[in-house]
Amino acid sequence: MLAKRIIPCLDVTGGRVVKGVNFVALRDAGDPVEIAARYNEQGADELTFLDITATSDGRDLILPIIEAVASQVFIPLTVGGGVRTVEDVRRLLNAGADKVSFNSAAIANPQVVRDAAGKYGSQCIVVAIDAKRRSAEDAQRPGPDGQPIGPGWDVYSHGGRKNVGLDAVAWARQMAAYGAGEILLTSMDRDGTQAGFDLELTRAVSDAVPVPVIASGGVGTLDHLVDGIRLGGADAVLAASIFHYGAYTIAQAKEHLARAGIPVRRSTA
Amino acid sequence: MNTLLPRETVAVVDYGMGNLRSVAQAVMHAALATDHVDVVVTDNPQVVRDAHRVVLPGQGAMPDCMAELERSGLRAAVLHAAANKPLFGVCVGMQMLLDHSEEGDTPGLGLIGGRVVRFRLEGQQQPDGSRYKVPQMGWNRVWYGFEHGAAEHAAPHPLWAGIPDGSYFYFVHSYHAHPADPAHVAAVTDYGVRFASAIARDNLFATQFHPEKSADQGLALYRNFLHWNP
């Protein structure tokens, strides 16, 4: 059967892979090809590159990185961060990306997801959703039926700074209907806490959409990965810090999942 | 002893459906240092005719792929290759080898008897209780051994040399091939149904999965293709 995937996420800015120390200070994490090759050797199932460049001026610098990695590392590559147009998708795919991830631009203009999926196929269009549990106050706002929307999760844009007033589960369903081939779901409540995925959120979205869901945000232990798949129903788990800081290798994570009875791809089949 | 080996050209057929660089780069990467191989991505029918080996990729929808193959003027060159030299189809490049696809009710090239059908998995659960999702996206096991019913003949296809039975390869697809003759099944994979994840006949070999995205085992498969003399 299909293996559950482990996906390390690499942050890119100014043409380099960086990593935050305590999520603030960025330092150079080394050569992107070397890092990608190391994760590949450890058995990573895919790699996600997140362009954290603040300005569009620096954005094109990710293209040579993707080109360099794609010429040496032969596993699927996803690129996200600041993707706005169908033309952005074309340029990233031409650079060697296999999937491109929309976030804020999909909220501002949902049609771009439909257009991109129509042109390049759903298999290469990911929609990233940053979701946060609704406050008691927000739960009072009217839902689609005019009644208070009630508890749930809201979608945030612009790196999690702006509540756009969309229900995360409904939004995931809409994006899948528009042609997103995969949902990358990040819990903003859990991101950076190492307290584990928001399993209720993951389960709610996974049950709502017919496409694969990648759980993200909050991984601190290998048991969290198991929970995200087993309890959250995720098809893949994405993590950054536990791998970057050397707490665990991907091979150890795979070993742990396999011991829990979850099908994973091992380098030696 | 110093013998001069002839250079071989591998043509990756570019009929306008997607970026083929990763295919070309993986084939190039798969060549050994001692191999004399030039890999070219080409939309020129004559280059395809002159090549020693041909890779036929394909991504997106089958009706679009068939229409573009026709429009680009490469269809005859691909048929020429299929009749004359080793040809490796990938993903929709595999599906196009069959008679017909139910995706858009599209006729294929008819090089291998059979049809392409959609996964019908709605509402079904995987062994672990999670729902099947379509497209199948991710790594699944590929079985070429006789004991798994992959083929009626006991010997695995030579392209599997050195690759353990049951290795994981990377899939992205909603449709799968259903060859009419079980002897043309070169490997099977289970996803709700047992389907043909690789097919072969004479000088033709094709996979539903993407060797260029399947790490070391994918490169090994391309390496075997470069050394295959059917």
Side-chain angles (χ1 to χ4, degrees), chain A residues 88-119:
Chain A
D88 289 342
V89 174
R90 188 187 68 81
R91 295 197 314 149
L92 287 165
L93 293 179
N94 281 344
D98 299 285
K99 307 183 207 178
V100 175
S101 174
F102 283 98
N103 191 334
S104 297
I107 296 165
N109 172 26
Q111 183 64 29
V112 76
V113 171
R114 197 172 254 167
D115 293 344
K119 179 135 194 191

Side-chain angles (χ1 to χ4, degrees), chain B residues 35-54:
Chain B
D35 291 337
H36 293 63
V37 175
D38 294 318
V39 181
V40 290
V41 176
T42 182
D43 59 2
N44 182 337
Q46 195 55 49
V47 174
V48 175
R49 283 173 186 274
D50 293 343
H52 299 86
R53 297 167 195 276
V54 171

Side-chain angles (χ1 to χ4, degrees), chain A residues 1-3 45-46 67 70-71 74 76 93-95 98-99 123 181-182 206-207 209-211 235 264-265, chain B residues 19 21 25-26 29 126-128 130-131 133-134 136-140 167-168 170 172 191 212-215 219:
Chain A
M1 64 183 288
L2 196 61
D45 296 308
E46 298 184 23
E67 282 173 11
S71 70
F74 298 98
L93 293 179
N94 281 344
D98 299 285
K99 307 183 207 178
Q123 82 288 340
E182 200 162 57
S206 185
D207 284 348
V209 297
V211 298
D235 300 279
V264 288
R265 175 182 73 107
Chain B
N19 172 33
R21 197 163 64 180
Q25 280 173 332
H29 213 81
Q126 304 198 53
D128 67 355
S130 60
R131 279 181 309 146
K133 313 235 168 157
V134 178
Q136 163 167 242
M137 191 183 314
W139 299 80
N140 205 337
S167 289
Y168 280 94
Y170 189 78
V172 182
Y191 191 65
E212 66 280 4
K213 291 292 160 185
S214 297
L219 296 177

Side-chain angles (χ1 to χ4, degrees), chain B:
Chain B
M1 207 163 71
N2 188 11
T3 51
L4 274 178
L5 295 171
R7 286 199 82 82
E8 277 208 355
T9 300
V10 179
V12 179
V13 185
D14 180 7
Y15 52 98
M17 289 304 290
N19 172 33
L20 309 179
R21 197 163 64 180
S22 61
V23 174
Q25 280 173 332
V27 174
M28 228 174 315
H29 213 81
L32 299 171
T34 48
D35 291 337
H36 293 63
V37 175
D38 294 318
V39 181
V40 290
V41 176
T42 182
D43 59 2
N44 182 337
Q46 195 55 49
V47 174
V48 175
R49 283 173 186 274
D50 293 343
H52 299 86
R53 297 167 195 276
V54 171
V55 180
L56 180 67
Q59 51 180 278
M62 172 98 166
D64 297 343
C65 285
M66 285 304 299
E68 288 303 305
L69 188 64
E70 194 71 52
R71 191 200 52 78
S72 61
L74 285 157
R75 180 185 174 121
V78 167
L79 291 175
H80 176 266
N84 291 287
K85 54 202 165 200
L87 182 144
F88 196 127
V90 181
C91 196
V92 182
M94 159 180 174
Q95 296 177 2
M96 290 197 299
L97 302 183
L98 287 100
D99 291 326
H100 182 267
S101 172
E102 67 178 31
E103 186 178 18
D105 192 14
T106 310
L109 295 171
L111 292 165
I112 291 181
R115 60 211 163 82
V116 179
V117 297
R118 195 173 202 279
F119 281 120
R120 289 182 182 83
L121 299 170
E122 285 74 13
Q124 289 189 50
Q125 291 192 334
Q126 304 198 53
D128 67 355
S130 60
R131 279 181 309 146
Y132 280 107
K133 313 235 168 157
V134 178
Q136 163 167 242
M137 191 183 314
W139 299 80
N140 205 337
R141 303 186 84 167
V142 171
W143 302 99
Y144 56 72
F146 178 62
E147 62 270 30
H148 298 283
E152 291 198 333
H153 41 84
H157 196 280
L159 259 64
W160 297 117
I163 298 170
D165 198 11
S167 289
Y168 280 94
F169 288 86
Y170 189 78
F171 290 83
V172 182
H173 64 126
S174 301
Y175 293 80
H176 61 86
H178 207 288
D181 183 347
H184 293 154
V185 177
V188 294
T189 294
D190 293 318
Y191 191 65
V193 293
R194 177 158 286 187
F195 69 94
S197 48
I199 59 176
R201 170 179 73 70
D202 305 322
N203 55 314
L204 307 177
F205 188 89
T207 62
Q208 180 59 65
F209 54 82
H210 292 268
E212 66 280 4
K213 291 292 160 185
S214 297
D216 291 348
Q217 306 296 12
L219 296 177
L221 194 58
Y222 278 149
R223 188 173 305 123
N224 289 341
F225 174 66
L226 292 175
H227 295 167
W228 182 38
N229 293 302

Side-chain angles (χ1 to χ4, degrees), chain A residues 43-68:
Chain A
D45 296 308
E46 298 184 23
L47 297 172
T48 289
F49 293 84
L50 190 60
D51 188 347
I52 59 169
T53 304
T55 68
S56 54
D57 297 349
R59 185 123 285 145
D60 283 354
L61 293 171
I62 198 170
L63 294 173
I65 287 190
I66 300 304
E67 282 173 11

Side-chain angles (χ1 to χ4, degrees), chain A residues 4 34-35 37 48 61 68 75 79 86 94 100 105 108 111 114 126 128 156 167 177 204 209 219 233 236 240 265:
Chain A
K4 303 299 179 186
E34 275 174 31
I35 296 171
T48 289
L61 293 171
I75 57 176
V79 183
V86 175
N94 281 344
V100 175
Q111 183 64 29
R114 197 172 254 167
V126 181
Y156 282 67
D167 177 72
V209 297
V219 176
R265 175 182 73 107

